[in-house]
Amino acid sequence: MKVISKKILLVLFVGVVLPRLCVIGSFPHMDEGYYIYYAQLFWNAISTEGMLPDYGTLNLYSLLLSPLVALPGNLFLWVRLFDLVVAVLMAALFYRCVERESGESSLTPFLCLLCLLCMNAADCIDGGCKNSFFLAYLPLFGALLLSDQKTTVAFFGAGVLTALGVLVREPFAIYAVVGVFAVFLGHGLKKAFWYCLGGIMTGICVIGIVACFRGGIAGLAAAYLRSGSIIGAESGHVLTNALRGGWRCFVDFWPFLVVSVAGIVWSFRSKVELPRKKVYFWIALIVAPLPEIFGKISFLYHYSMMFPAIAGLDALCLAASGKKVEQKRHKGEQLSCVLVIVLLVITVPSWEIVETVKLYQTYPTLTWSKDEKEQSNTLIAADHILRLGGTSLSVSGFMHFLYPATRKLPPKPGMDDLSRFFIFHALNHAETLSDLVKNSPDIVAIGYTSPFENHVVMFTEDLRMILDHSGLYTLAAYVPLDETKDYGWIGCYIYRRK
């Protein structure tokens, strides 16, 4: 086993640890709120009933995060630290993959560093726990390295690891498909069979174990079927968000993209002999995220799924170019150093560094001060909710970050987002009202945005009308839109039970 060199440690620190430590103290973000909410839900069910709630998709990422809910203090900080550790482990395996493809080129550290800085940009990870990408990539890169051994056992193990990556993040199933074709075309039917067998057995075992702890498979299957209704309700934003994300991807990450594309084009134009099967493999991985990007509501961070494959193809070009690249190594290193500095400036927002420093200054409590809370619409809403008391809370408009901010949960699974709750009831006021009356949360926070904000569908007026007709609630607080505040583009009406 290769010793971890100082170069790798420097790449991991500058490309992963440093950008994440700079933003780890930022105010709560929406996407991480979703994962932490499910971690709360899982931990509550495990600690009280010894079972998992029979609701939602697999969400293995939140299941791994769930023990952190038992820790005292700032829950956002704990999960961000967890994701930082996962990201470092993933980056170490990613480095090994790129190093292998590049033939251990001297430019490998710079290529990895540029890619990792983009993947760990604040707009891609928020405070550090925006998505399950890094945990899912961890076994996928492990599968790539394991497949180098080219034995039957190795390909079976690669299938196991690929399945784990897919189970952590289901849309990564397309990578499994690419993997099957790659193994079949590169190593034959027998190795492809063992690769598939490892993946299928792992999928059956993991899903079976989770289903047992949920009390059956029906709720799990229903959750995946319901996800289609959400995508359908939000289809009007799909193309707009995809195009906007693509443009932002180029604007924010042009140093990595321009250099990568230039290197690939130079290799092809120089008629450098490249291994065709590997070229097709990396190109397939580059385009693999496109169906998801154009198939549902996507954002900038979805485009970051293409970056590791771009780095892989670049590494292949470095290896094939050989002496030609080494002759210009010093110029390449100087250019890369400049681009690294540019990316650090672009991807790490100064205001989030300030928030993080202020959070560090509150040690050992490590929570936001009263003055800091006044700068965040999320924390202002959370303070209103905490003052109103009660034990249960329901929100709308994907405002799941209010759950970890208040340490509250909805009265039953499925009432965590009333906007989706309304969709699941086929936008029927009477059915939604009936279910709400049967399972009434103590506090309800109904989100709203300006008409020009491209957010998920919220049904603000419909939900307010349903609450008014229930006769159970009274408006207790109001958080207005305020663009000078963090998440000031979303406000909320906060109701409490009479």
Side-chain angles (χ1 to χ4, degrees), residues 42-94:
F42 290 153
W43 185 251
N44 181 65
I46 292 169
S47 58
T48 57
E49 303 169 14
M51 296 283 286
L52 291 171
D54 190 21
Y55 180 80
T57 57
L58 278 174
N59 214 335
L60 296 182
Y61 184 50
S62 292
L63 187 57
L64 283 178
L65 290 174
S66 61
L68 300 177
V69 175
L71 297 176
N74 191 332
L75 189 48
F76 292 96
L77 192 59
W78 288 122
V79 297
R80 291 170 183 177
L81 285 170
F82 176 90
D83 204 70
L84 187 155
V85 173
V86 170
V88 168
L89 295 175
M90 183 282 295
L93 291 183
F94 167 68

Side-chain angles (χ1 to χ4, degrees), residues 321-362:
S321 301
K323 292 181 180 179
K324 290 183 179 181
V325 172
E326 290 303 315
Q327 288 171 358
K328 300 181 180 180
R329 184 188 69 182
H330 295 297
K331 289 184 178 180
E333 290 176 351
Q334 291 170 358
L335 175 61
S336 297
C337 286
V338 172
L339 293 177
V340 165
I341 295 171
V342 171
L343 271 175
L344 280 170
V345 173
I346 293 174
T347 59
V348 182
S350 57
W351 62 88
E352 295 205 4
I353 297 177
V354 172
E355 290 172 14
T356 299
V357 170
K358 289 181 179 179
L359 187 70
Y360 290 154
Q361 290 173 345
T362 66

